[in-house]
């Protein structure tokens, strides 16, 4: 896919730029790796419940990797990062040696000594100096060493919508909503014409409620933190909650399920039970691999932005390695991270080979992404895979033609998951209690969030 713009107005903690060198170089451990030693490497696989075709594609990729690295045996494990279970899984040693974490969690794990220093292993990659520096810094410690490696492209949250439900409600699927008032009108029309269907749905548990309320807040120009001060009682968050309250209690346009997490809302959307919801633009791949969505019904557009400081929440995924990994395992881990996540963006043969494997297994190729290196490098990658693209990009132009004009805003920097959890209960209360007092709920949540921020600071 090609984006229509030749320049990108994309900001993550300021304008994104290439770093010319890694911040620091040095040995992560005195122990040296034996590159010829036999290693069994446990890695993240697919989401639980992934379709056989997706498993087939991953198995083919593993087989090709092992041909290239005959001393490394790769074992995959189904994996979904969840704020409510990750800490226990990490402490209990049940995670794979190579696992995925959000950008926001890396600094805490580094400070706690829970993930391995990957500096010297990362330096072995030919493109190590070309990571976007504002992405790489999320995984760097105070010593300048890299402990977590950007592994998946940055996401920006978009508005996902069901084109079939738009049509059934008398709406034009080629003209999705551009304002929150239009979202509300469309949601009401969908719910009215399709009994039992939520015109609009919102995640509400396992920290996803707070995550998406943050999305709503940013879109209206608000922020949840100001330095080390919690600011959950801002007007934008109040307006976002009032919007949900109106949809739920005045319009009856949100269905009957108010306990969605990321997995649950994806399932409901793919099954035609949800007309619209907000999530990262990259979720289409999961909808295909895990939920068997019909591509013809899928649409993606920008979330409405209101006010001069309005922005789109952005984030991403990093690959990390257990602090218990040996030097040989760490060296093998970087080879896998290179092969599985990153090489396709920097090597034409790897890009085409990966695309061929995905197409052969009927997996999506070309789902919209944001660059992990530079815009120029990403555009080159898009050119390499152009003939393999099999996703309905013409149904996503409401997002892809506008996202680079928007301000991309980081998630709250301090005690991120605790802030989200504090807001979960607020979202749930607004959706289940007609008389919920938004001001009081936010005041109480702000107190909880501030305690978490103070403890983290």
């Amino acid at each position: 896919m090609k984006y229509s713009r030749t320049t990108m107005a994309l900001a993550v903690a300021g304008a994104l730029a290439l770093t010319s060198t890694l911040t620091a170089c040095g040995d992560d451990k005195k122990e040296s790796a034996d590159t010829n030693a036999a290693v069994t490497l446990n890695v993240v696989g697919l989401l639980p419940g992934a379709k056989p075709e997706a498993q087939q594609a991953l198995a083919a990729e593993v087989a090709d990797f092992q041909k290239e690295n005959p001393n490394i045996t790769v074992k995959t494990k189904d994996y979904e990062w969840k704020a409510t279970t990750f800490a226990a899984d990490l402490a209990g040693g049940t995670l794979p040696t190579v696992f995925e974490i959000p950008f926001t969690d890396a600094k805490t794990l580094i400070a706690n000594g829970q993930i391995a220093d990957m500096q010297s292993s990362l330096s072995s990659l030919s493109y190590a100096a070309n990571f976007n520096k504002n992405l790489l810094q999320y995984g760097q410690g105070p010593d300048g060493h890299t402990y977590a490696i950007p592994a998946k492209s940055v996401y920006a949250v978009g508005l996902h919508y069901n084109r079939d439900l738009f049509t059934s409600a008398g709406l034009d699927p080629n003209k999705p909503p551009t304002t929150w008032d239009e979202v509300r009108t469309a949601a009401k029309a969908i719910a009215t014409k399709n009994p039992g269907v939520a015109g609009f749905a919102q995640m509400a548990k396992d920290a996803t409620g707070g995550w998406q309320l943050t999305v709503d807040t940013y879109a209206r120009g608000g922020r949840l933190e100001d330095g080390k001060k919690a600011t959950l009682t801002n007007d934008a968050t109040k307006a976002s909650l009032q919007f949900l309250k109106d949809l739920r209690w005045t319009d009856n346009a949100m269905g009957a399920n108010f306990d969605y997490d990321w997995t649950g809302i994806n399932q409901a959307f793919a099954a035609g039970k949800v007309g619209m919801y907000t999530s990262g633009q990259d979720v289409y791949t999961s909808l295909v691999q895990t939920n068997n969505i019909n591509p013809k019904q899928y649409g993606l557009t920008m979330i409405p932005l209101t006010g001069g400081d309005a922005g789109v929440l952005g984030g991403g995924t990093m690959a990390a390695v257990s602090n218990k990994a040996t030097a040989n395992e760490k060296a093998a881990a970087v080879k896998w991270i290179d092969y599985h996540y990153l090489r396709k963006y920097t090597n034409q043969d790897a890009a085409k080979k990966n695309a061929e494997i995905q197409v052969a297994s009927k997996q999506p190729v070309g789902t919209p992404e944001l660059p992990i290196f530079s815009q120029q490098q990403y555009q080159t990658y898009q050119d390499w895979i152009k003939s393999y693209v099999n996703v309905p990009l013409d149904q996503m132009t409401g997002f892809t033609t506008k996202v680079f004009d928007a301000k991309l805003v980081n998630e709250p920097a301090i005690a991120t998951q605790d802030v989200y959890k504090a807001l979960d209960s607020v979202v749930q209360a607004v959706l289940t209690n007609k008389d919920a007092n938004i001001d009081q709920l936010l005041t109480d949540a702000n107190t909880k969030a501030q305690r978490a921020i103070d403890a983290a600071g």
Side-chain angles (χ1 to χ4, degrees), residues 107-397:
K107 295 291 188 183
T108 298
L109 297 174
I110 294 168
N112 293 341
Q114 292 175 291
I115 55 178
D117 185 334
M118 300 299 292
Q119 184 65 42
S120 64
S121 299
L122 176 63
S123 298
S124 68
L125 299 178
S126 61
Y127 51 78
N130 296 330
F131 281 105
N132 182 299
K133 66 180 180 181
N134 284 311
L135 303 187
L136 191 65
Q137 62 90 17
Y138 282 100
Q140 291 177 323
D143 57 1
H145 287 203
T146 298
Y147 292 75
I149 301 171
K152 291 183 179 179
S153 294
V154 185
Y155 72 80
V157 171
L159 178 68
H160 307 262
Y161 67 99
N162 184 308
R163 293 173 61 85
D164 290 348
L165 290 176
F166 265 61
T167 299
S168 70
L171 304 167
D172 186 346
N174 295 319
K175 296 179 179 179
T178 59
T179 68
W180 289 111
D181 285 343
E182 289 178 0
V183 171
R184 184 178 174 184
T185 299
K188 186 174 181 179
I190 290 168
T192 300
K193 293 291 186 178
N194 300 274
V197 170
F200 182 91
Q202 185 91 346
M203 300 180 212
K205 71 174 185 179
D206 294 347
T208 62
W211 174 43
Q212 289 306 300
L213 185 58
T214 303
V215 170
D216 303 338
T217 297
Y218 287 1
R220 292 173 171 85
R223 301 293 184 268
L224 298 179
E225 292 180 358
D226 182 6
K228 294 185 177 182
K229 180 181 179 181
T231 57
L232 277 59
T233 57
N234 68 84
D235 290 342
T237 303
K238 292 179 182 179
S240 301
L241 289 165
Q242 187 63 51
F243 172 79
L244 294 176
K245 191 173 185 179
D246 291 341
L247 274 175
R248 166 68 175 100
W249 297 104
T250 302
D251 301 341
N252 192 27
M254 296 190 71
N257 189 335
F258 311 110
D259 199 29
Y260 283 123
D261 61 4
W262 186 83
T263 300
I265 206 167
N266 289 346
Q267 291 172 342
F269 178 75
K273 299 298 184 182
V274 169
M276 295 175 284
Y277 76 114
T278 55
S279 191
Q281 96 285 339
D282 55 344
V283 78
Y284 180 78
T285 295
S286 177
L287 291 170
V288 172
Q289 292 182 336
T290 308
N291 306 117
N292 200 32
I293 195 170
N294 178 358
K296 293 181 179 180
Q297 77 183 43
Y298 179 79
L300 172 65
T301 193
M302 282 288 291
I303 59 171
L305 301 176
T306 305
D309 204 28
V312 180
L313 183 145
T317 298
M318 309 195 91
V321 177
S322 168
N323 63 345
K324 298 180 176 63
T326 65
N328 291 344
E329 287 174 331
K330 289 198 292 182
V334 166
K335 289 182 178 180
W336 172 252
I337 292 168
D338 165 46
Y339 191 92
H340 179 61
Y341 295 105
L342 299 173
R343 193 186 302 183
K344 65 182 180 181
Y345 297 118
T346 63
N347 181 282
Q348 183 173 3
D349 290 340
K352 290 185 174 182
K353 187 172 186 178
N354 178 268
E356 288 169 356
I357 289 174
Q358 300 303 317
V359 169
S361 300
K362 299 180 180 180
Q363 297 305 293
V365 174
T367 298
E369 302 176 73
L370 300 183
I372 201 168
F373 293 105
S374 68
Q375 182 190 3
Q376 180 180 6
Q377 184 60 48
Y378 181 66
Q379 186 59 66
T380 299
Y381 163 68
Q382 290 294 324
D383 292 339
W384 290 338
I385 66 168
K386 185 176 181 180
S387 63
Y388 300 95
V389 172
N390 59 5
V391 304
L393 293 178
D394 57 343
Q395 295 163 206
M396 306 178 188
T397 55

